[in-house]
Amino acid sequence: MKHGWDIVIVYYGADGTWETLQKKGFYRRNTYLLREFSRHPDVKKLIVVSHTDRITSLCSWSWWKLLLGLSQSDKVLDLHVFAVIPGGQYLNAINRLNRSLTAWITRRMLRASTNPKLIHWCYWPGGLELHETLNISGCLVFDTDHDILNDDNKSAGEASDLEPWLQLAAQKADIVASSSRSMLDWFSTRGARRCERLRNGVDAAAFSQKVHRVTRGARLRVGYLGVLSRWVDFGLLLELARARPDWEFVIGGYLYLTQLSKDFETLNNVKFIGPYTPNEEISILASFDIALSLYTPGGSDVDSMKIFEYLAAGIPVVATPLHEGMKEDFEGLLKICNTSNEFIDAIESIINWDQAALDDWDARRQAFVRDNTWSTRANQAIKWLSDVTA
């Protein structure tokens, strides 16, 4: 990319500091994109903005490196937002001074850039709110992965609290990015300057990429991984488990705003393994014969990261029609079904694939995974950023 300035991305809403993420790992859309921006050759500097408390910040080596001027050569820097001087809740003058100190620290971060073009990337309303507290000029990008106004996991009150921030994003953002078509439609009708679909992706390098072959005669292992929320059709899962007691159903993830039916306690072929780490996920997926996507149809048009990961792990996927674009989005790689009987028929047809059918599916799967990595998504985003800042 040829231009006379340096791309500097200031990132809001990363689930923690860069220092913390390096230790805990990257596992959501926002952190995967952040990591790919850190690797991108056209990004000169990446500043990760995080709300922290005074003690956490002052105990952080990254904070002291910045203060002492030892971090100028670092590509990624943490900007800790905290009350350097206490008492701001009582005096506006102290609040103004704290903001001035933060602005001074930000300018110090940019010294290594000869002609910086600031890109403020805000993930979700929380990221935008943090950006507004700093009030630093630059190109603004607002990113929300799904239609959060029509999210079954949020109450009407929560949605109404989020809407003013989304309205603000529509007014102020140079680019609105989302994986959700309905979310982008919402922004378009409210006058957003530019709306771009930025789908979720996959960290392909984390998976073996080897296609899974079902062992005939062995007990079939059917699995689901992901947050166990109101999006999940537990009734469908219960029907499947009852209909096929000879199959083992392995369900991983933490419960979020929902409870499991007591009916599952009567079934010996359903195993809930609870939360898992990113490293544990790799080994769990390796044990699956078939992967399930059990989102309730008609909800928010979520671009499920888990389906990308299932495919990267080489596992055939049977899914509910979460939204109308499922077949198109995943290029016909999924078996899409409505009822438990359809699920059972689809799974049995996969079991009976001959070698030619398996090889065909695998070739298409590998091509899809190559084209849908987080690196690909970051390249898309950088292209848009170069357009709006040219």
Side-chain angles (χ1 to χ4, degrees):
M1 187 183 299
K2 295 181 179 179
H3 44 61
W5 38 263
D6 295 335
I7 295 180
V8 177
I9 297 179
V10 186
Y11 199 100
Y12 308 80
D15 294 342
T17 65
W18 180 255
E19 190 175 26
T20 300
L21 291 171
Q22 293 280 77
K23 297 173 184 175
K24 292 187 175 181
F26 302 82
Y27 56 91
R28 291 209 304 153
R29 172 189 175 94
N30 52 343
T31 62
Y32 278 126
L33 280 174
L34 179 69
R35 186 185 66 180
E36 294 307 320
F37 287 149
S38 77
R39 297 171 173 175
H40 202 285
D42 289 332
V43 176
K44 178 71 174 181
K45 196 170 283 290
L46 177 62
I47 298 171
V48 183
V49 185
S50 303
H51 258 310
T52 53
D53 59 76
R54 190 179 300 103
I55 294 175
T56 299
S57 298
L58 296 179
C59 290
S60 168
W61 172 232
S62 63
W63 165 256
W64 288 103
K65 278 181 68 179
L66 178 65
L67 199 65
L68 297 172
L70 302 176
S71 58
Q72 291 305 307
S73 62
D74 294 350
K75 182 173 182 177
V76 185
L77 298 171
D78 277 320
L79 175 55
H80 298 249
V81 177
F82 66 102
V84 181
I85 301 172
Q89 66 269 38
Y90 305 113
L91 294 174
N92 286 332
I94 292 178
N95 271 328
R96 288 194 297 271
L97 183 56
N98 278 323
R99 284 196 294 269
S100 296
L101 286 169
T102 302
W104 173 80
I105 291 168
T106 305
R107 288 193 297 272
R108 187 182 183 88
M109 289 177 163
L110 300 176
R111 285 180 184 173
S113 302
T114 54
N115 185 22
K117 281 287 185 178
L118 282 182
I119 309 295
H120 297 280
W121 190 285
C122 301
Y123 178 73
W124 269 53
L128 181 60
E129 184 176 3
L130 184 54
H131 168 268
E132 291 298 294
T133 64
L134 297 185
N135 193 29
I136 303 170
S137 62
C139 174
L140 178 63
V141 181
F142 181 75
D143 176 25
T144 175
D145 51 0
H146 67 274
D147 186 347
I148 57 179
L149 288 177
N150 295 297
D151 184 340
D152 290 339
N153 293 309
K154 288 183 168 50
S155 66
E158 288 176 302
S160 63
D161 289 341
L162 292 173
E163 188 164 356
W165 289 105
L166 299 180
Q167 295 279 9
L168 183 65
Q171 296 167 18
K172 298 185 70 171
D174 296 279
I175 299 175
V176 172
S178 180
S179 67
S180 163
R181 295 178 179 87
S182 60
M183 190 81 265
L184 292 175
D185 289 343
W186 187 93
F187 277 107
S188 294
T189 60
R190 284 155 182 81
R193 295 184 188 90
R194 178 173 177 177
C195 294
E196 296 285 357
R197 190 165 186 233
L198 186 65
R199 295 192 63 196
N200 287 330
V202 66
D203 180 12
F207 301 90
S208 70
Q209 298 284 326
K210 186 177 180 181
V211 67
H212 183 87
R213 287 173 167 79
V214 177
T215 303
R216 295 183 185 278
R219 190 182 196 194
L220 195 72
R221 193 172 169 92
V222 182
Y224 169 88
L225 295 182
V227 178
L228 303 178
S229 69
R230 295 170 185 166
W231 282 341
V232 177
D233 190 342
F234 290 104
L236 175 60
L237 175 60
L238 194 62
E239 288 179 18
L240 286 171
R242 283 173 169 167
R244 294 307 302 254
D246 54 323
W247 293 352
E248 181 181 9
F249 293 85
V250 179
I251 312 299
Y254 64 89
L255 285 169
Y256 180 72
L257 298 179
T258 191
Q259 295 294 323
L260 295 175
S261 168
K262 295 289 186 181
D263 292 333
F264 283 109
E265 296 177 3
T266 66
L267 299 175
N268 296 323
N269 63 331
V270 181
K271 182 180 180 182
F272 289 94
I273 60 176
Y276 51 87
T277 67
N279 287 335
E280 290 170 339
E281 177 185 355
I282 306 302
S283 60
I284 295 169
L285 285 177
S287 72
F288 287 1
D289 295 308
I290 303 291
L292 300 177
S293 176
L294 294 171
Y295 292 134
T296 304
S300 178
D301 57 339
V302 175
D303 193 34
S304 172
M305 279 179 53
K306 201 54 60 184
I307 294 178
F308 289 95
E309 292 171 353
Y310 290 156
L311 293 173
I315 308 168
V317 184
V318 185
T320 53
L322 174 60
H323 55 79
E324 294 179 354
M326 287 280 285
K327 183 176 180 179
E328 174 191 350
D329 284 351
F330 291 97
E331 299 178 10
L333 289 167
L334 315 180
K335 294 278 190 178
I336 300 176
C337 307
N338 289 283
T339 67
S340 59
N341 286 336
E342 289 178 5
F343 264 76
I344 290 169
D345 289 344
I347 291 171
E348 289 181 337
S349 73
I350 293 170
I351 296 171
N352 292 318
W353 277 348
D354 60 20
Q355 191 62 46
L358 181 63
D359 289 345
D360 173 71
W361 180 82
D362 186 38
R364 292 186 293 112
R365 176 193 70 86
Q366 290 187 50
F368 175 85
V369 171
R370 284 195 301 271
D371 292 341
N372 287 276
T373 64
W374 287 114
S375 176
T376 302
R377 303 298 182 237
N379 287 336
Q380 283 182 270
I382 295 298
K383 172 66 168 59
W384 303 333
L385 298 179
S386 67
D387 290 345
V388 298
T389 56

mmCIF file of all heavy atoms in Angstrom, residues 199-228:
data_model
loop_
_atom_site.group_PDB
_atom_site.id
_atom_site.type_symbol
_atom_site.label_atom_id
_atom_site.label_comp_id
_atom_site.label_asym_id
_atom_site.label_seq_id
_atom_site.Cartn_x
_atom_site.Cartn_y
_atom_site.Cartn_z
ATOM 1 N N ARG A 199 -17.395 -10.319 8.074
ATOM 2 C CA ARG A 199 -17.824 -11.568 8.686
ATOM 3 C C ARG A 199 -16.845 -12.017 9.765
ATOM 4 O O ARG A 199 -15.719 -11.528 9.852
ATOM 5 C CB ARG A 199 -17.945 -12.653 7.618
ATOM 6 C CG ARG A 199 -19.034 -12.387 6.587
ATOM 7 C CD ARG A 199 -19.289 -13.631 5.755
ATOM 8 N NE ARG A 199 -19.777 -14.715 6.602
ATOM 9 C CZ ARG A 199 -19.800 -15.976 6.219
ATOM 10 N NH1 ARG A 199 -19.349 -16.327 5.030
ATOM 11 N NH2 ARG A 199 -20.261 -16.919 7.040
ATOM 12 N N ASN A 200 -17.290 -12.968 10.579
ATOM 13 C CA ASN A 200 -16.374 -13.617 11.500
ATOM 14 C C ASN A 200 -15.432 -14.510 10.701
ATOM 15 O O ASN A 200 -15.579 -14.677 9.490
ATOM 16 C CB ASN A 200 -17.140 -14.425 12.540
ATOM 17 C CG ASN A 200 -17.815 -13.531 13.562
ATOM 18 O OD1 ASN A 200 -17.325 -12.444 13.869
ATOM 19 N ND2 ASN A 200 -18.943 -13.968 14.094
ATOM 20 N N GLY A 201 -14.461 -15.078 11.370
ATOM 21 C CA GLY A 201 -13.478 -15.894 10.676
ATOM 22 C C GLY A 201 -12.953 -16.981 11.582
ATOM 23 O O GLY A 201 -13.577 -17.339 12.579
ATOM 24 N N VAL A 202 -11.767 -17.496 11.236
ATOM 25 C CA VAL A 202 -11.210 -18.613 11.988
ATOM 26 C C VAL A 202 -9.694 -18.485 12.050
ATOM 27 O O VAL A 202 -9.058 -17.994 11.121
ATOM 28 C CB VAL A 202 -11.621 -19.955 11.350
ATOM 29 C CG1 VAL A 202 -10.998 -20.136 9.964
ATOM 30 C CG2 VAL A 202 -11.276 -21.124 12.251
ATOM 31 N N ASP A 203 -9.149 -18.918 13.158
ATOM 32 C CA ASP A 203 -7.703 -19.022 13.320
ATOM 33 C C ASP A 203 -7.309 -20.397 12.779
ATOM 34 O O ASP A 203 -7.150 -21.363 13.534
ATOM 35 C CB ASP A 203 -7.345 -18.876 14.800
ATOM 36 C CG ASP A 203 -5.854 -18.963 15.048
ATOM 37 O OD1 ASP A 203 -5.075 -18.912 14.068
ATOM 38 O OD2 ASP A 203 -5.452 -19.094 16.221
ATOM 39 N N ALA A 204 -7.160 -20.483 11.468
ATOM 40 C CA ALA A 204 -6.980 -21.788 10.818
ATOM 41 C C ALA A 204 -5.741 -22.518 11.319
ATOM 42 O O ALA A 204 -5.736 -23.756 11.403
ATOM 43 C CB ALA A 204 -6.891 -21.596 9.299
ATOM 44 N N ALA A 205 -4.704 -21.780 11.681
ATOM 45 C CA ALA A 205 -3.457 -22.409 12.114
ATOM 46 C C ALA A 205 -3.615 -23.188 13.417
ATOM 47 O O ALA A 205 -2.786 -24.041 13.733
ATOM 48 C CB ALA A 205 -2.365 -21.357 12.262
ATOM 49 N N ALA A 206 -4.678 -22.889 14.165
ATOM 50 C CA ALA A 206 -4.875 -23.572 15.450
ATOM 51 C C ALA A 206 -5.420 -24.984 15.281
ATOM 52 O O ALA A 206 -5.411 -25.768 16.231
ATOM 53 C CB ALA A 206 -5.827 -22.758 16.328
ATOM 54 N N PHE A 207 -5.889 -25.310 14.078
ATOM 55 C CA PHE A 207 -6.516 -26.611 13.850
ATOM 56 C C PHE A 207 -5.679 -27.448 12.887
ATOM 57 O O PHE A 207 -4.960 -26.925 12.040
ATOM 58 C CB PHE A 207 -7.929 -26.420 13.307
ATOM 59 C CG PHE A 207 -8.823 -25.641 14.225
ATOM 60 C CD1 PHE A 207 -8.902 -24.260 14.127
ATOM 61 C CD2 PHE A 207 -9.556 -26.277 15.205
ATOM 62 C CE1 PHE A 207 -9.707 -23.525 14.980
ATOM 63 C CE2 PHE A 207 -10.374 -25.551 16.068
ATOM 64 C CZ PHE A 207 -10.438 -24.182 15.960
ATOM 65 N N SER A 208 -5.841 -28.747 12.984
ATOM 66 C CA SER A 208 -5.023 -29.655 12.172
ATOM 67 C C SER A 208 -5.368 -29.588 10.694
ATOM 68 O O SER A 208 -4.556 -29.924 9.847
ATOM 69 C CB SER A 208 -5.202 -31.092 12.669
ATOM 70 O OG SER A 208 -6.510 -31.559 12.366
ATOM 71 N N GLN A 209 -6.593 -29.161 10.362
ATOM 72 C CA GLN A 209 -7.086 -29.069 8.991
ATOM 73 C C GLN A 209 -7.339 -30.438 8.359
ATOM 74 O O GLN A 209 -7.723 -30.540 7.199
ATOM 75 C CB GLN A 209 -6.088 -28.290 8.102
ATOM 76 C CG GLN A 209 -5.859 -26.866 8.507
ATOM 77 C CD GLN A 209 -7.019 -25.981 8.120
ATOM 78 O OE1 GLN A 209 -7.661 -26.188 7.112
ATOM 79 N NE2 GLN A 209 -7.311 -25.000 8.928
ATOM 80 N N LYS A 210 -7.105 -31.506 9.088
ATOM 81 C CA LYS A 210 -7.295 -32.844 8.544
ATOM 82 C C LYS A 210 -8.753 -33.237 8.657
ATOM 83 O O LYS A 210 -9.359 -33.140 9.727
ATOM 84 C CB LYS A 210 -6.413 -33.844 9.298
ATOM 85 C CG LYS A 210 -6.437 -35.248 8.720
ATOM 86 C CD LYS A 210 -5.487 -36.163 9.479
ATOM 87 C CE LYS A 210 -5.503 -37.566 8.891
ATOM 88 N NZ LYS A 210 -4.589 -38.478 9.646
ATOM 89 N N VAL A 211 -9.318 -33.712 7.563
ATOM 90 C CA VAL A 211 -10.729 -34.082 7.565
ATOM 91 C C VAL A 211 -10.958 -35.272 8.489
ATOM 92 O O VAL A 211 -10.137 -36.190 8.572
ATOM 93 C CB VAL A 211 -11.222 -34.402 6.135
ATOM 94 C CG1 VAL A 211 -10.570 -35.655 5.588
ATOM 95 C CG2 VAL A 211 -12.742 -34.507 6.098
ATOM 96 N N HIS A 212 -12.101 -35.225 9.188
ATOM 97 C CA HIS A 212 -12.421 -36.299 10.124
ATOM 98 C C HIS A 212 -13.199 -37.397 9.404
ATOM 99 O O HIS A 212 -14.179 -37.129 8.710
ATOM 100 C CB HIS A 212 -13.257 -35.761 11.283
ATOM 101 C CG HIS A 212 -13.559 -36.791 12.332
ATOM 102 N ND1 HIS A 212 -12.707 -37.054 13.374
ATOM 103 C CD2 HIS A 212 -14.610 -37.625 12.478
ATOM 104 C CE1 HIS A 212 -13.229 -38.004 14.127
ATOM 105 N NE2 HIS A 212 -14.377 -38.372 13.602
ATOM 106 N N ARG A 213 -12.769 -38.617 9.560
ATOM 107 C CA ARG A 213 -13.458 -39.767 8.983
ATOM 108 C C ARG A 213 -14.164 -40.538 10.086
ATOM 109 O O ARG A 213 -13.538 -40.918 11.072
ATOM 110 C CB ARG A 213 -12.468 -40.665 8.243
ATOM 111 C CG ARG A 213 -11.996 -40.072 6.919
ATOM 112 C CD ARG A 213 -10.899 -40.908 6.288
ATOM 113 N NE ARG A 213 -10.668 -40.503 4.901
ATOM 114 C CZ ARG A 213 -9.954 -39.436 4.551
ATOM 115 N NH1 ARG A 213 -9.404 -38.680 5.473
ATOM 116 N NH2 ARG A 213 -9.794 -39.130 3.266
ATOM 117 N N VAL A 214 -15.464 -40.734 9.908
ATOM 118 C CA VAL A 214 -16.263 -41.444 10.907
ATOM 119 C C VAL A 214 -15.856 -42.916 10.922
ATOM 120 O O VAL A 214 -15.760 -43.563 9.875
ATOM 121 C CB VAL A 214 -17.757 -41.312 10.597
ATOM 122 C CG1 VAL A 214 -18.573 -42.115 11.600
ATOM 123 C CG2 VAL A 214 -18.177 -39.841 10.608
ATOM 124 N N THR A 215 -15.590 -43.434 12.106
ATOM 125 C CA THR A 215 -15.237 -44.846 12.257
ATOM 126 C C THR A 215 -16.509 -45.680 12.276
ATOM 127 O O THR A 215 -17.313 -45.584 13.197
ATOM 128 C CB THR A 215 -14.438 -45.074 13.557
ATOM 129 O OG1 THR A 215 -13.277 -44.238 13.543
ATOM 130 C CG2 THR A 215 -14.019 -46.520 13.676
ATOM 131 N N ARG A 216 -16.690 -46.473 11.260
ATOM 132 C CA ARG A 216 -17.912 -47.283 11.168
ATOM 133 C C ARG A 216 -17.924 -48.337 12.273
ATOM 134 O O ARG A 216 -16.918 -48.974 12.568
ATOM 135 C CB ARG A 216 -18.003 -47.942 9.807
ATOM 136 C CG ARG A 216 -18.155 -46.946 8.665
ATOM 137 C CD ARG A 216 -18.308 -47.654 7.330
ATOM 138 N NE ARG A 216 -18.346 -46.702 6.229
ATOM 139 C CZ ARG A 216 -19.418 -46.031 5.840
ATOM 140 N NH1 ARG A 216 -20.552 -46.216 6.483
ATOM 141 N NH2 ARG A 216 -19.370 -45.184 4.828
ATOM 142 N N GLY A 217 -19.072 -48.520 12.851
ATOM 143 C CA GLY A 217 -19.227 -49.528 13.888
ATOM 144 C C GLY A 217 -18.992 -48.996 15.289
ATOM 145 O O GLY A 217 -19.474 -49.567 16.266
ATOM 146 N N ALA A 218 -18.251 -47.880 15.404
ATOM 147 C CA ALA A 218 -18.015 -47.290 16.724
ATOM 148 C C ALA A 218 -19.213 -46.426 17.111
ATOM 149 O O ALA A 218 -20.015 -46.018 16.269
ATOM 150 C CB ALA A 218 -16.752 -46.444 16.708
ATOM 151 N N ARG A 219 -19.341 -46.142 18.393
ATOM 152 C CA ARG A 219 -20.446 -45.293 18.845
ATOM 153 C C ARG A 219 -20.228 -43.868 18.341
ATOM 154 O O ARG A 219 -19.179 -43.264 18.574
ATOM 155 C CB ARG A 219 -20.530 -45.304 20.367
ATOM 156 C CG ARG A 219 -21.809 -44.644 20.881
ATOM 157 C CD ARG A 219 -21.886 -44.616 22.392
ATOM 158 N NE ARG A 219 -23.241 -44.325 22.838
ATOM 159 C CZ ARG A 219 -23.563 -43.976 24.073
ATOM 160 N NH1 ARG A 219 -22.629 -43.899 25.003
ATOM 161 N NH2 ARG A 219 -24.818 -43.731 24.408
ATOM 162 N N LEU A 220 -21.221 -43.342 17.636
ATOM 163 C CA LEU A 220 -21.093 -42.013 17.037
ATOM 164 C C LEU A 220 -21.040 -40.952 18.129
ATOM 165 O O LEU A 220 -21.822 -40.981 19.076
ATOM 166 C CB LEU A 220 -22.287 -41.746 16.112
ATOM 167 C CG LEU A 220 -22.104 -40.569 15.150
ATOM 168 C CD1 LEU A 220 -21.113 -40.937 14.058
ATOM 169 C CD2 LEU A 220 -23.447 -40.187 14.533
ATOM 170 N N ARG A 221 -20.115 -40.018 17.958
ATOM 171 C CA ARG A 221 -19.951 -38.937 18.940
ATOM 172 C C ARG A 221 -20.356 -37.627 18.279
ATOM 173 O O ARG A 221 -19.671 -37.130 17.379
ATOM 174 C CB ARG A 221 -18.494 -38.897 19.413
ATOM 175 C CG ARG A 221 -18.243 -38.053 20.650
ATOM 176 C CD ARG A 221 -16.797 -38.275 21.114
ATOM 177 N NE ARG A 221 -16.359 -37.330 22.124
ATOM 178 C CZ ARG A 221 -16.440 -37.519 23.427
ATOM 179 N NH1 ARG A 221 -16.957 -38.645 23.897
ATOM 180 N NH2 ARG A 221 -15.990 -36.615 24.278
ATOM 181 N N VAL A 222 -21.482 -37.088 18.718
ATOM 182 C CA VAL A 222 -22.052 -35.872 18.151
ATOM 183 C C VAL A 222 -21.873 -34.748 19.168
ATOM 184 O O VAL A 222 -22.194 -34.918 20.349
ATOM 185 C CB VAL A 222 -23.553 -36.071 17.840
ATOM 186 C CG1 VAL A 222 -24.137 -34.821 17.205
ATOM 187 C CG2 VAL A 222 -23.746 -37.278 16.941
ATOM 188 N N GLY A 223 -21.349 -33.592 18.725
ATOM 189 C CA GLY A 223 -21.022 -32.568 19.709
ATOM 190 C C GLY A 223 -21.449 -31.159 19.351
ATOM 191 O O GLY A 223 -21.680 -30.825 18.186
ATOM 192 N N TYR A 224 -21.562 -30.373 20.392
ATOM 193 C CA TYR A 224 -21.828 -28.933 20.272
ATOM 194 C C TYR A 224 -20.921 -28.208 21.248
ATOM 195 O O TYR A 224 -20.825 -28.583 22.422
ATOM 196 C CB TYR A 224 -23.292 -28.607 20.604
ATOM 197 C CG TYR A 224 -23.547 -27.118 20.759
ATOM 198 C CD1 TYR A 224 -23.884 -26.338 19.651
ATOM 199 C CD2 TYR A 224 -23.409 -26.487 21.999
ATOM 200 C CE1 TYR A 224 -24.084 -24.972 19.781
ATOM 201 C CE2 TYR A 224 -23.615 -25.120 22.130
ATOM 202 C CZ TYR A 224 -23.945 -24.357 21.033
ATOM 203 O OH TYR A 224 -24.141 -23.023 21.157
ATOM 204 N N LEU A 225 -20.264 -27.152 20.772
ATOM 205 C CA LEU A 225 -19.481 -26.281 21.647
ATOM 206 C C LEU A 225 -19.953 -24.848 21.458
ATOM 207 O O LEU A 225 -20.241 -24.414 20.339
ATOM 208 C CB LEU A 225 -17.983 -26.368 21.331
ATOM 209 C CG LEU A 225 -17.275 -27.699 21.572
ATOM 210 C CD1 LEU A 225 -15.788 -27.571 21.250
ATOM 211 C CD2 LEU A 225 -17.469 -28.181 22.997
ATOM 212 N N GLY A 226 -19.989 -24.110 22.530
ATOM 213 C CA GLY A 226 -20.397 -22.708 22.458
ATOM 214 C C GLY A 226 -21.126 -22.297 23.718
ATOM 215 O O GLY A 226 -21.396 -23.117 24.602
ATOM 216 N N VAL A 227 -21.458 -21.039 23.797
ATOM 217 C CA VAL A 227 -22.205 -20.543 24.950
ATOM 218 C C VAL A 227 -23.590 -21.182 24.962
ATOM 219 O O VAL A 227 -24.279 -21.241 23.935
ATOM 220 C CB VAL A 227 -22.333 -19.010 24.898
ATOM 221 C CG1 VAL A 227 -23.146 -18.501 26.085
ATOM 222 C CG2 VAL A 227 -20.956 -18.360 24.884
ATOM 223 N N LEU A 228 -23.993 -21.670 26.120
ATOM 224 C CA LEU A 228 -25.313 -22.294 26.256
ATOM 225 C C LEU A 228 -26.297 -21.217 26.695
ATOM 226 O O LEU A 228 -26.580 -21.025 27.873
ATOM 227 C CB LEU A 228 -25.249 -23.437 27.269
ATOM 228 C CG LEU A 228 -24.220 -24.529 26.942
ATOM 229 C CD1 LEU A 228 -24.189 -25.590 28.037
ATOM 230 C CD2 LEU A 228 -24.513 -25.159 25.598
#
